[in-house]
Amino acid sequence: MSKKIDRFKLLLDLAERKRKEAERLLGESQQRVAQAEAGLRQLSQYQLEYQQQFQAAGRNGLSSGGIQTYQAFINKLSATSLQQEQALKQSRAQLEQVEIYWRQAMAHHKAMQKLLDKAQEEQRRHGDKRLQQELDERAQHTRPTYI
């Protein structure tokens, strides 16, 4: 019975490592999503401020070269925003996959823990039963003191 428990302990240890690795990956993925969201918010805020500057500069009069410069930069900001949105979508998709992996690793770890607990309980019951049998046998072989 002890070999069985040792095997379950080894399997539980492997499941624990896998669970910890999944937790690490989950944290990294969550951090990437948060960074991508923050970057997109920052980029959008910067784009809005720059458009406001462009409008203010337009009211004060701008040369055609100045207008083209502003528009080119706004177009670059828009393209960068689209790229950032794509990166955010990819990060979210990766996060979904990592969450699935993490859930599976957690379930596997929990299952291994239950199996180990069950085997240990079975071993304990078996030991209790064996001890009770030994006590019963001793009680049968012991002579009463009054004979």
Side-chain angles (χ1 to χ4, degrees), residues 6-16 108 112:
D6 289 343
R7 285 193 303 265
F8 280 133
K9 284 181 179 179
L10 178 62
L11 290 173
L12 180 63
D13 185 49
L14 293 172
E16 176 71 16
H108 182 69
M112 288 296 108

Side-chain angles (χ1 to χ4, degrees), residues 47 50-51 68-82:
Q47 188 175 7
Y50 197 78
Q51 285 175 339
Q68 288 176 346
T69 301
Y70 268 106
Q71 286 179 335
F73 191 70
I74 288 173
N75 288 338
K76 283 188 186 240
L77 282 175
S78 294
T80 304
S81 291
L82 287 175

Side-chain angles (χ1 to χ4, degrees), residues 17-139:
R17 288 184 205 169
K18 189 175 180 179
R19 183 187 62 81
K20 285 181 180 180
E21 176 68 11
E23 285 177 353
R24 183 187 65 77
L25 291 172
L26 181 64
E28 289 174 0
S29 291
Q30 289 171 334
Q31 188 176 14
R32 276 194 298 277
V33 167
Q35 287 173 343
E37 287 172 342
L40 189 58
R41 279 191 303 273
Q42 224 174 14
L43 197 55
S44 295
Q45 183 63 35
Y46 183 63
Q47 188 175 7
L48 180 66
E49 290 171 5
Y50 197 78
Q51 285 175 339
Q52 289 171 347
Q53 288 177 2
F54 173 64
Q55 290 171 351
R59 283 190 286 267
N60 295 332
L62 262 180
S63 67
S64 64
I67 291 173
Q68 288 176 346
T69 301
Y70 268 106
Q71 286 179 335
F73 191 70
I74 288 173
N75 288 338
K76 283 188 186 240
L77 282 175
S78 294
T80 304
S81 291
L82 287 175
Q83 288 175 342
Q84 188 69 23
E85 286 174 6
Q86 282 302 110
L88 178 58
K89 282 181 184 178
Q90 282 182 329
S91 293
R92 285 182 176 156
Q94 287 174 347
L95 177 59
E96 273 184 43
Q97 293 301 312
V98 170
E99 284 175 339
I100 291 168
Y101 175 72
W102 174 76
R103 280 189 213 100
Q104 289 172 345
M106 290 293 290
H108 182 69
H109 179 265
K110 206 179 263 189
M112 288 296 108
Q113 183 65 54
K114 284 182 181 181
L115 285 173
L116 176 61
D117 292 345
K118 184 178 177 181
Q120 287 173 332
E121 178 62 24
E122 185 180 322
Q123 184 180 26
R124 186 193 59 75
R125 280 194 315 264
H126 184 70
D128 290 349
K129 187 177 180 181
R130 187 176 44 218
L131 179 62
Q132 186 61 46
Q133 285 175 345
E134 288 175 11
L135 290 173
D136 290 347
E137 284 178 17
R138 285 185 187 159

